[in-house]
Amino acid sequence: MERTFLMVKPDGVQRNLVGEVIRRLESKGFTLVGLKLMNVSRELAEKHYDVHKERPFFSGLVDFITSGPVVATVWEGDGVIASARKIIGATNPLTAEPGTIRGDYGVSIGRNLIHGSDAPETAQYEINLWFTQEELVSWQPTLTPWLYE
Ligand code: DAT
Ligand code: MG
């Protein structure tokens, strides 16, 4: 089964949206296999956003991600990487569709509440960056036969 890395950013934690984010992914039918509240070091934030290091917003983005606690999560399910990106919505909350997390709760690109891995390779990289093997919990939800044919 596929896994993805999702993080409630400091604005999502401050705005009390942790439960709402987890609820949306759980209700959809995805399985939580990793979860932790943590402060982010500059080193970790820079590694996480390494692909953006030449962009003008990079240092502001690292400042923001390290400005308060985040909730780091790993989710499992068929097609979870692309599906979670749809549930999250477009990068700019102003153009993100209503019904998506960013579309429902955000108004600015620099405060877009949540991160989600964008492809299988980045999901693998991010899961390994944020979690140790021991922190990931494999379990068999009893709902599985009601979610998958
Ligand atoms: P996403 O988070 O949807 O994958 P991304 O990978 O293009 O988007 O960018 C990573 C984050 O960087 C994004 O969530 C918010 C910030 N960001 C992107 N473009 C920005 C911009 N033009 N100005 C300010 N912040 C930006
Ligand atoms: Mg991205």
Side-chain angles (χ1 to χ4, degrees):
M1 276 235 197
E2 205 172 70
R3 287 182 172 181
T4 195
F5 172 72
L6 305 187
M7 168 188 38
V8 184
K9 295 180 181 180
D11 53 336
V13 174
Q14 294 289 350
R15 291 188 49 206
N16 302 321
L17 289 170
V18 172
E20 177 64 16
V21 167
I22 291 174
R23 188 192 66 73
R24 288 188 182 212
L25 275 294
E26 279 187 321
S27 303
K28 171 72 173 166
F30 294 128
T31 304
L32 189 58
V33 295
L35 174 69
K36 57 185 174 181
L37 175 75
M38 58 188 284
N39 285 307
V40 184
S41 67
R42 256 195 118 72
E43 186 191 3
L44 176 57
E46 285 172 359
K47 280 186 187 157
H48 175 75
Y49 281 122
D50 189 59
V51 292
H52 296 304
K53 64 174 181 286
E54 307 301 337
R55 308 285 284 278
F57 57 80
F58 180 73
S59 72
L61 181 58
V62 171
D63 289 344
F64 168 54
I65 292 299
T66 57
S67 68
V70 304
V71 172
T73 63
V74 177
W75 294 85
E76 189 174 82
D78 277 0
V80 66
I81 299 172
S83 179
R85 292 278 296 188
K86 283 198 163 188
I87 290 167
I88 289 168
T91 304
N92 184 346
L94 278 185
T95 54
E97 292 294 330
T100 65
I101 294 168
R102 288 168 173 169
D104 285 350
Y105 298 112
V107 288
S108 106
I109 195 165
R111 298 287 185 273
N112 65 4
L113 301 161
I114 176 168
H115 167 85
S117 308
D118 62 5
E121 309 74 57
T122 44
Q124 197 54 59
Y125 171 77
E126 290 168 3
I127 291 167
N128 291 334
L129 181 64
W130 288 83
F131 285 87
T132 64
Q133 271 312 315
E134 300 74 57
E135 288 173 326
L136 297 174
V137 180
S138 291
W139 59 289
Q140 194 52 250
T142 55
L143 271 181
T144 301
W146 303 104
L147 289 164
Y148 294 95
E149 193 179 13

